[in-house]
Amino acid sequence: MLHRMGLYKTYLQAIKDGKKTVEVRLNDQKRRKIKIGDTIEFITVPEADETLRVNVTGLKNYYTFKDMYEDIPLKDIDCEGWTMKDLLEGTYEI
């Protein structure tokens, strides 16, 4: 199944460069439909001028973003060196 999602250009480039191997999303109704083996097509926002298709190789659910950031290596989301405060503020800003 193909899922389309918007993504800021900076993060799309980090995925292309292999710096970001984990995508973080709220587990809302739309994201609950994603299964391992599905394809996600990321489209840059707001420009919508670039796309990238990736395959879903794993899924994890967390009770809070803090729980997730304590579990996932920060290099996998291209955020090495960020503080927990920076991570949480950045997440809620988006």
Side-chain angles (χ1 to χ4, degrees):
M1 179 172 224
L2 177 65
H3 307 272
R4 290 186 173 88
M5 297 182 203
L7 189 65
Y8 290 119
K9 193 170 275 203
T10 302
Y11 301 117
L12 187 130
Q13 190 61 50
I15 293 170
K16 280 185 169 182
D17 294 342
K19 296 178 183 176
K20 185 176 191 309
T21 58
V22 173
E23 176 60 14
V24 174
R25 295 285 167 144
L26 189 63
N27 194 26
D28 61 11
Q29 186 175 354
K30 181 179 177 182
R31 264 42 85 164
R32 287 185 201 118
K33 295 176 184 175
I34 298 171
K35 306 290 183 222
I36 293 174
D38 286 356
T39 300
I40 297 174
E41 181 178 60
F42 291 112
I43 304 162
T44 54
V45 292
E47 303 91 350
D49 63 349
E50 193 172 351
T51 63
L52 175 67
R53 286 189 176 195
V54 299
N55 293 318
V56 177
T57 60
L59 295 167
K60 289 187 176 184
N61 291 303
Y62 297 92
Y63 188 69
T64 67
F65 284 114
K66 184 175 186 285
D67 291 342
M68 179 191 62
Y69 290 132
E70 289 174 339
D71 183 56
I72 295 174
L74 298 185
K75 70 175 181 56
D76 292 352
I77 55 173
D78 195 27
C79 291
E80 277 186 299
W82 288 40
T83 67
M84 184 61 69
K85 181 181 178 196
D86 292 338
L87 290 164
L88 294 172
E89 285 177 358
T91 300
Y92 288 109
E93 182 180 301
I94 291 172

